Amino acid sequence: MDDQWLAQLPIKGITKAVPVGGGDVNEAFRLETKDDTYFLLVQPHTTADFYAGEIAGLKAFEEAKVLAPRVLGNGQIDGDAYLLLNFLESGSGSQSDLGELVANLHQHYSKNGKFGFDLPYVSNDESFDNSWTDTWSELFVDHRLDRLRDALMKKHLWNERDDTKYKQVREVILDKLSKHESEPSLLHGDLWGGNYMFLADGRPALIDPASFYGDREFDLGITTVFGGFDADFYAAYNAVYPLDPGANERLNFYRLYYLMVHTNKFGTMYKSSADSAMNQILEHK
């Protein structure tokens, strides 16, 4: 990315472009002009629609009045996809405020009463069909878990014994979800500790969404995998939007999902954790 590339962005007078952390998917840069600062994501050798799902998620957050980066531009330059956002200056803040923010996010529901999203989830490692479904189990199990199972078997990251256990777990999940009334809440979709931040004024914000409409426990299950959320977060969430009975057991379903995602993405280093998650589900059947 050189000056000629930068000159084609929909902002002028860039004085500095500094690489910053942007996760493991994109190249990321802090851009400075005389008057403002921007955040730029770049996906080399990709069409602009690579970012369509993230853009839709950020716009849904904006409509829900959930603080997140604003989309300023999207396109393709010299064969590279880019997404231009406003830059959020980081600071420190309260886990309680973060819990309230996520609870408020989850109280925005799909207009059609169904589970899914208008766009699929697309990444370099795995894509998921977000086609609208009438039930949460259809979207979560058929379109997510089963697809991950297929990917793990194809890559030989799982063997027949793993597959047999997964089929047993699948039946438990379907049974438990059939007895739980799910609502299609607006989800972040990848709510681990690296996908929220506190601004310089202390307000919490959500970043890097993989949004769709699903059971809110999906997001909360993911928060428990790698940490970054403390007791104040969960207490504040429950004060605003109390969880239903049996939630703690169902969170295991979403921990399993996230560990399957990571096994598919990073290999065997997460396999034992996914196996432990399956054992947990079977122990509580």
Side-chain angles (χ1 to χ4, degrees), residues 15-41:
T15 58
K16 187 181 294 186
V18 181
V20 295
D24 54 10
V25 176
N26 302 286
E27 296 177 8
F29 303 87
R30 174 184 173 124
L31 304 182
E32 297 180 8
T33 69
K34 178 182 177 182
D35 301 313
D36 217 335
T37 307
Y38 304 86
F39 188 65
L40 176 69
L41 296 175

Side-chain angles (χ1 to χ4, degrees), residues 121 123-128 144 147-158 256-271 274:
Y121 170 75
S123 79
N124 294 329
D125 305 286
E126 184 59 86
S127 299
F128 294 114
R144 297 252 171 167
R147 186 178 179 93
L148 285 165
R149 173 266 173 201
D150 292 345
L152 293 173
M153 292 295 289
K154 184 177 180 179
K155 293 181 179 179
H156 303 291
L157 292 166
W158 270 10
L256 171 61
Y257 159 83
Y258 209 50
L259 291 165
M260 288 172 69
V261 167
H262 279 69
T263 305
N264 183 47
K265 188 170 187 175
F266 298 110
T268 55
M269 63 185 295
Y270 289 101
K271 185 179 184 301

Side-chain angles (χ1 to χ4, degrees), residues 88-105:
L88 302 180
E89 294 288 351
S90 64
S92 59
S94 160
Q95 285 271 318
S96 294
D97 290 345
L98 178 63
E100 291 178 7
L101 180 72
V102 174
N104 289 331
L105 169 72

Side-chain angles (χ1 to χ4, degrees), residues 6 15 29 38 43 65 71 108 120 206 214 256-257 285:
L6 291 170
T15 58
F29 303 87
Y38 304 86
Q43 187 64 214
K65 295 181 170 50
V71 177
H108 290 81
L206 302 180
L256 171 61
Y257 159 83
K285 67 180 181 179

Side-chain angles (χ1 to χ4, degrees), residues 217-256:
E217 292 173 358
F218 179 94
D219 268 354
L220 294 177
I222 289 175
T223 67
T224 66
V225 176
F226 296 125
F229 302 83
D230 67 18
D232 290 341
F233 168 85
Y234 298 106
Y237 182 98
N238 265 296
V240 175
Y241 195 1
L243 288 168
D244 296 329
N248 284 338
E249 287 185 18
R250 291 187 297 273
L251 294 186
N252 285 324
F253 307 163
Y254 311 117
R255 282 192 278 269
L256 171 61

